[in-house]
Amino acid sequence: MNIQTLKGTKSDKQYQDINFFRRGGMGEIYSSLDNESGLKKAIKIVPVGNDEEYALLKSEFEIAESLKHQNIADTEYFGEFEQSGVKYIYSVMPFFEKGSLRDLLASQTSNLEIKTAIKYFIELAEGLDAAHKKVIHRDLKPENILIGNNSELKLCDFGLAKLIDVKTRTRTFKGSGTLPYMAPECWVFDSNTTSMDIYSLGIIFYEMLTLKLPFDGRNENEFRDKHLYESLPNLSNSRVDIPIRLIEVINKMTNKRQNERYSSVSEIVRILNEISYSTAQSNDANIDSLLKKANQKISVTEQAELKRKQEQELIDNELKFIDFSKKTIFEKFNQRIHVLNQSLEREKIRINGNQNNFTVSFMNKSFSTSYFSNADIPNMIKKRKEAILQHQQRQYGMVMQSPPPTFIEKDNVLLIGKVVLYNGRYGQEPWGYNLVLRRANQQDLYGEWWVVYFNDSAFSNKSNEHYAIDIPDFYQEYEFGRGNVMHTRTMELSTFESKVVDSLIGKILE
């Protein structure tokens, strides 16, 4: 972008020599010369896409301009201009020659001294405490912390800031934070609270002490799971010189539950000052040892609770997925029957039940659709593997090799069902098929239904009609069929399509 001059508080061409410096989270940063003061300034320029964005950006620059504290970067002015038909909003602040906290951490060849780290912590906490009188930052990270002329730290970039008590905006043009620093509640779009910033600041404190992030991930889902379900790594394992009370402060700041963090940053400021005063004087090794034991016990208990919570979420998500998938089958039949009934006057096709178990009937014939318990599948897999290992132990006196995965595992089968035809005169007929719900992989959100047709093979003199098989026989027959093993039954797989629905309805209309 080619900009010659920009307006300031004192003149229309107050800022000159405007040159691109770097890209920011929301726009671009330029360096410039303030003609009135002769000082170098930093100008953030953000393009505006629509009226909603304009109102939000204007509001948040106004907030930033109103925040005045020695540990908050001063926003001196903000304005707007148009270029090539695009509207821009810009804000002006001092140019920080020493860069950001990210630059400082990247330049460190050894850990910060505890005394220095605590000094920085107090500065950041005091700046955040002042900001919280008006606003929640929502995007605290080392890149948004600048270093002043006297090496003091200053919070900046309130571009994601929201007024206290305003409902969190879901991911709009500006997102909702930066992945390594986002509090658990940010991932579920909970209400704005100052506790979000307290969590992020705790993550920053951890990073400043260890020069590494507590949680790392390759993608958004990995970060989400770690923030929601993985406890903070024990700081004592990274450094032996961190006061136990400081570890406790950071652990409380980053507690997964909002109501178990500090209620305000002012509490953190007070405790950090106490730690600063007492660190050099405390020589009670016994107290330190006892505190370490207490900290370790708390961490183990928290980790067990987080693991239980994660396992429960996996179960809940699978149940929701299965329930949704059952509904797709039910709705396909329901919709098709509705279309047919519009042209039937004397008798109607009836569907009774719900997605878990339903029956479709016409005059004296019907078919039922039902499902086996999904919990049976992992139990079957476990028992099969145990049986193979026991067989190896009996035959060879030792385990020769690990059991190979079953086809149920390879196909990611999550649910098994069956469809059976009934005749009012003769009861159950030898006609039907099984249903299996399969996922292509763990990232497959919806899965796919398949139809499994079992027939008696040429070795048998029984019926040539395909039929359904009950649990537990189904597991063995599925393994034979998928493995193309010569057997008394043959198996055929096909995807569940509209023609499957029509062929089944056609059976009860015969």
Side-chain angles (χ1 to χ4, degrees):
M1 184 185 299
N2 184 19
I3 311 167
Q4 300 301 316
T5 63
L6 283 173
K7 181 182 178 179
T9 55
K10 297 183 178 178
S11 70
D12 288 346
K13 297 183 179 181
Q14 183 169 339
Y15 304 107
Q16 298 186 0
D17 297 333
I18 300 171
N19 296 296
F20 176 78
F21 177 59
R22 63 176 174 83
R23 294 194 179 279
M26 292 166 50
E28 295 178 338
I29 312 297
Y30 290 78
S31 63
S32 71
L33 176 67
D34 183 344
N35 282 335
E36 297 296 328
S37 66
L39 298 175
K40 191 175 182 181
K41 303 292 180 181
I43 301 178
K44 174 183 281 189
I45 301 177
V46 183
V48 181
N50 52 52
D51 291 341
E52 181 189 7
E53 289 185 14
Y54 175 80
L56 288 168
L57 286 165
K58 186 172 183 293
S59 170
E60 289 165 1
F61 280 138
E62 286 172 348
I63 293 166
E65 189 179 41
S66 70
L67 297 174
K68 303 298 179 186
H69 189 271
Q70 66 269 23
N71 296 116
I72 297 176
D74 188 23
T75 298
E76 300 175 358
Y77 178 79
F78 75 91
E80 58 188 76
F81 67 92
E82 283 195 20
Q83 188 175 91
S84 302
V86 178
K87 181 181 286 188
Y88 295 88
I89 288 185
Y90 66 93
S91 66
V92 182
M93 67 171 58
F95 192 92
F96 290 85
E97 299 286 353
K98 293 186 177 182
S100 69
L101 176 60
R102 173 64 69 212
D103 300 319
L104 173 65
L105 296 179
S107 68
Q108 291 294 122
T109 55
S110 59
N111 288 326
L112 292 170
E113 291 185 4
I114 294 298
K115 182 179 178 181
T116 303
I118 293 174
K119 168 187 171 292
Y120 285 149
F121 295 169
I122 292 171
E123 290 175 353
L124 291 174
E126 288 181 339
L128 187 59
D129 189 37
H132 277 180
K133 302 294 190 295
K134 294 184 177 182
V135 72
I136 298 166
H137 191 288
R138 292 212 313 159
D139 195 22
L140 289 173
K141 56 185 175 181
E143 289 83 351
N144 288 342
I145 298 168
L146 300 175
I147 303 173
N149 293 332
N150 298 317
S151 296
E152 75 279 19
L153 299 185
K154 293 176 178 282
L155 300 175
C156 75
D157 202 344
F158 287 80
L160 276 176
K162 291 292 289 178
L163 293 174
I164 289 174
D165 294 332
V166 175
K167 187 71 176 177
T168 298
R169 183 168 60 245
T170 54
R171 293 165 190 263
T172 62
F173 70 104
K174 288 185 288 184
S176 58
T178 302
L179 301 181
Y181 306 93
M182 285 168 60
E185 57 269 28
C186 292
W187 297 94
V188 293
F189 305 119
D190 206 346
S191 298
N192 267 345
T193 66
T194 54
S195 188
M196 288 178 173
D197 285 347
I198 289 174
Y199 181 94
S200 298
L201 191 62
I203 298 292
I204 293 170
F205 285 0
Y206 183 103
E207 187 176 6
M208 292 173 72
L209 286 170
T210 64
L211 301 181
K212 60 185 179 183
L213 287 164
F215 306 126
D216 201 2
R218 293 168 295 180
N219 53 50
E220 187 171 316
N221 285 336
E222 287 188 9
F223 273 112
R224 174 190 179 275
D225 286 348
K226 290 184 178 182
H227 281 294
L228 286 174
Y229 304 117
E230 195 169 299
S231 60
L232 200 74
N234 194 332
L235 277 161
S236 297
N237 295 334
S238 297
R239 292 182 65 167
V240 297
D241 59 339
I242 305 174
I244 291 296
R245 195 177 182 196
L246 181 56
I247 292 175
E248 284 293 295
V249 169
I250 295 172
N251 285 341
K252 185 168 182 176
M253 292 173 71
T254 56
N255 195 295
K256 305 300 184 188
R257 296 182 176 90
Q258 285 181 269
N259 60 0
E260 293 186 18
R261 297 177 207 148
Y262 292 100
S263 59
S264 70
V265 186
S266 59
E267 287 186 72
I268 300 170
V269 173
R270 175 182 60 78
I271 297 170
L272 288 174
N273 277 307
E274 291 175 3
I275 294 172
S276 179
Y277 295 143
S278 64
T279 297
Q281 301 172 6
S282 178
N283 294 312
D284 195 333
N286 191 44
I287 286 289
D288 202 49
S289 175
L290 292 173
L291 286 171
K292 283 184 178 179
K293 286 183 178 180
N295 177 267
Q296 184 176 20
K297 186 171 183 179
I298 292 169
S299 297
V300 169
T301 303
E302 286 179 344
Q303 187 61 43
E305 172 61 19
L306 291 171
K307 184 177 180 181
R308 185 202 64 77
K309 189 176 178 183
Q310 185 177 28
E311 288 172 350
Q312 186 59 50
E313 188 192 41
L314 290 173
I315 292 170
D316 291 344
N317 286 341
E318 184 169 297
L319 289 175
K320 289 176 185 176
F321 166 77
I322 287 174
D323 191 53
F324 170 82
S325 300
K326 287 179 180 177
K327 284 180 181 177
T328 62
I329 294 280
F330 181 76
E331 287 303 319
K332 281 186 178 182
F333 279 105
N334 200 24
Q335 290 168 11
R336 194 61 168 162
I337 290 166
H338 176 73
V339 171
L340 290 169
N341 278 342
Q342 287 180 325
S343 300
L344 289 172
E345 296 296 336
R346 290 175 295 170
E347 290 284 345
K348 300 289 186 182
I349 302 171
R350 290 176 172 78
I351 183 167
N352 298 305
N354 55 38
Q355 67 267 16
N356 294 312
N357 191 332
F358 64 91
T359 299
V360 176
S361 59
F362 182 77
M363 299 182 70
N364 65 337
K365 294 184 76 172
S366 65
F367 66 83
S368 67
T369 300
S370 58
Y371 302 94
F372 305 110
S373 171
N374 60 303
D376 287 344
I377 295 174
N379 291 334
M380 178 279 300
I381 293 170
K382 181 181 176 182
K383 288 179 180 178
R384 181 181 180 276
K385 290 184 177 180
E386 288 174 350
I388 291 173
L389 292 174
Q390 290 170 5
H391 174 74
Q392 291 183 30
Q393 191 70 43
R394 286 194 303 269
Q395 186 166 2
Y396 307 110
M398 61 189 302
V399 174
M400 301 293 290
Q401 61 182 13
S402 298
T406 65
F407 281 104
I408 291 283
E409 290 175 275
K410 291 178 182 178
D411 292 344
N412 290 308
V413 174
L414 294 176
L415 188 65
I416 301 165
K418 68 172 183 176
V419 176
V420 177
L421 190 68
Y422 290 91
N423 188 314
R425 297 175 182 174
Y426 309 110
Q428 183 175 329
E429 291 192 5
W431 193 96
Y433 51 74
N434 287 96
L435 295 166
V436 293
L437 176 61
R438 295 167 52 178
R439 268 185 168 146
N441 50 53
Q442 292 303 313
Q443 286 70 48
D444 184 359
L445 290 178
Y446 300 108
E448 187 174 22
W449 281 105
W450 288 70
V451 183
V452 186
Y453 298 104
F454 287 106
N455 288 82
D456 293 322
S457 71
F459 299 112
S460 172
N461 295 322
K462 296 181 182 179
S463 168
N464 61 0
E465 294 276 16
H466 54 73
Y467 48 85
I469 296 178
D470 285 330
I471 299 297
D473 294 341
F474 176 88
Y475 299 125
Q476 178 172 295
E477 298 301 331
Y478 190 85
E479 296 300 309
F480 286 152
R482 289 286 284 115
N484 295 315
V485 175
M486 296 291 288
H487 188 49
T488 56
R489 286 193 179 105
T490 62
M491 186 183 86
E492 181 185 346
L493 270 171
S494 68
T495 55
F496 188 93
E497 298 173 352
S498 297
K499 64 182 181 181
V500 176
V501 175
D502 287 348
S503 68
L504 188 50
I505 294 175
K507 275 289 182 179
I508 64 172
L509 299 180
E510 290 177 353

